[in-house]
Amino acid sequence: MYGCSVSEDYLSWTAIIGLLIIMSFFIISLVYMLSQFFKRPDWAVWAKSELWQTIAACIIVGLILSFTGTACMISESLAGGDPFYISDRYLHYTLWNRLVPAVNNLFQLSFKAQKLSVFTLGLISCSEGICFQPFAGLGTLSYSLETMASIITPFGASLLFQKLFLQFVKDIAFTIILPIGFILKVFPFTREAGAFLIAAAVAFYVVFPLTYVFNSTIMREVMYDPMVANWCQKGLVGWGGGLSGLGSGACQALNTVGQVLPQAAFLPALNLVITISFMQTLSKILARDYQEDLQ
């Protein structure tokens, strides 16, 4: 079970950051003491500058905590749980409960249509050449269904990759990337790189799973809207003749695929655009030297 904003799982990174902050203050204090002992004013200037940067980093950590908690509250309000957990369950359901059964159904219907297409009736005897195949046209339908299923199958890999990538982000964003970014942010020559890593960690740990919460809310409305979900039973589909359920079964399968494909193809790109845009904006804010602006 995933944690939320107040759980140990969600706050496991704070101990690492806290240790780094203590080490930074210790090093700054040591450098300042040595500057006074050896009469090195340039060391004192460096210590004061880095003290400001460390305090700014502490403020950033506090803002990240607040932002993380806010994102979790939004997720709980919209979907009833932690964004990572909701995203994982949503993708799992979409892949294994929607797309995979629909593709399997398309293959089964294709096989069924193929069997019907070769069914032959003889008026007298086929050996006399007087026979016909009443469902021969279903051979084309069988080929079409099989082609659709083959084209759609790779989209399952997209859903599986999204699910695994979210788990990867959850495992490393705040426990590895954020501490490295914090360390780099302290030193002048790597400050921009540190700001970029901090922004990347926040964007992918907070904003990215939250986009999937919005996706799940939108797609839930699409999947269970009566006007959309039940259109196959409203006489709007006539192809296939409904022969042994072939027409309605194919309609249901294609309807399900149509509902799932946005999450497999379109919405991930939109999620990345939102996340990367946020990351770039936050990186510029974090990389700015506000000490020089105040001076």
Side-chain angles (χ1 to χ4, degrees):
M1 182 72 176
Y2 293 105
C4 203
S5 58
V6 295
S7 71
E8 293 181 1
D9 192 40
Y10 221 73
L11 297 177
S12 59
W13 59 277
T14 54
I16 302 173
I17 297 295
L19 178 61
L20 293 174
I21 290 174
I22 293 174
M23 292 176 60
S24 299
F25 279 123
F26 174 77
I27 293 173
I28 291 170
S29 301
L30 181 62
V31 171
Y32 185 78
M33 290 173 59
L34 293 175
S35 70
Q36 299 301 309
F37 182 79
F38 291 106
K39 307 298 182 183
R40 294 292 301 270
D42 55 326
W43 291 5
V45 171
W46 180 88
K48 292 177 181 179
S49 175
E50 296 310 309
L51 177 63
W52 163 260
Q53 295 295 336
T54 304
I55 293 174
C58 293
I59 296 173
I60 291 171
V61 171
L63 293 175
I64 291 174
L65 279 171
S66 301
F67 188 39
T68 303
T70 302
C72 186
M73 290 174 58
I74 294 173
S75 176
E76 288 177 336
S77 176
L78 289 175
D82 165 65
F84 278 103
Y85 179 75
I86 296 301
S87 302
D88 181 83
R89 293 297 87 197
Y90 161 62
L91 290 173
H92 181 89
Y93 174 80
T94 303
L95 174 60
W96 297 111
N97 294 75
R98 301 286 293 182
L99 183 62
V100 171
V103 172
N104 183 56
N105 194 22
L106 286 175
F107 278 117
Q108 290 180 353
L109 290 171
S110 173
F111 180 66
K112 187 175 183 180
Q114 186 63 37
K115 289 195 299 181
L116 289 171
S117 69
V118 298
F119 177 73
T120 304
L121 288 176
L123 297 180
I124 299 176
S125 172
C126 284
S127 61
E128 302 294 334
I130 308 176
C131 60
F132 69 100
Q133 295 176 323
F135 309 119
L138 292 180
T140 302
L141 178 61
S142 171
Y143 175 77
S144 299
L145 291 173
E146 185 175 354
T147 302
M148 290 179 188
S150 300
I151 294 174
I152 293 165
T153 300
F155 287 102
S158 170
L159 293 171
L160 182 60
F161 175 79
Q162 293 174 60
K163 188 175 184 295
L164 296 176
F165 184 70
L166 276 166
Q167 181 62 44
F168 177 75
V169 168
K170 179 181 180 293
D171 290 339
I172 74 165
F174 270 19
T175 56
I176 297 177
I177 296 178
L178 184 64
I180 293 176
F182 181 85
I183 294 173
L184 297 178
K185 183 76 170 61
V186 172
F187 300 100
F189 299 108
T190 58
R191 193 154 290 154
E192 290 188 4
F196 176 81
L197 289 180
I198 293 174
V202 173
F204 279 94
Y205 192 84
V206 179
V207 177
F208 190 59
L210 197 58
T211 60
Y212 279 90
V213 174
F214 287 106
N215 292 166
S216 67
T217 303
I218 295 171
M219 296 308 298
R220 185 167 59 246
E221 294 296 326
V222 173
M223 290 179 182
Y224 300 107
D225 190 302
M227 295 183 62
V228 178
N230 299 325
W231 72 284
C232 291
Q233 283 79 37
K234 295 182 178 180
L236 300 178
V237 180
W239 58 269
L243 184 63
S244 301
L246 184 61
S248 61
C251 176
Q252 289 287 359
L254 293 175
N255 187 35
T256 300
V257 169
Q259 295 169 357
V260 170
L261 282 185
Q263 184 58 63
F266 170 70
L267 291 177
L270 180 61
N271 294 345
L272 283 176
V273 168
I274 295 172
T275 303
I276 293 174
S277 298
F278 177 87
M279 179 184 70
Q280 291 175 339
T281 303
L282 183 61
S283 177
K284 293 178 181 178
I285 295 174
L286 297 178
R288 188 178 181 87
D289 193 345
Y290 293 98
Q291 184 181 15
E292 293 183 358
D293 296 341
L294 294 175
Q295 293 175 349

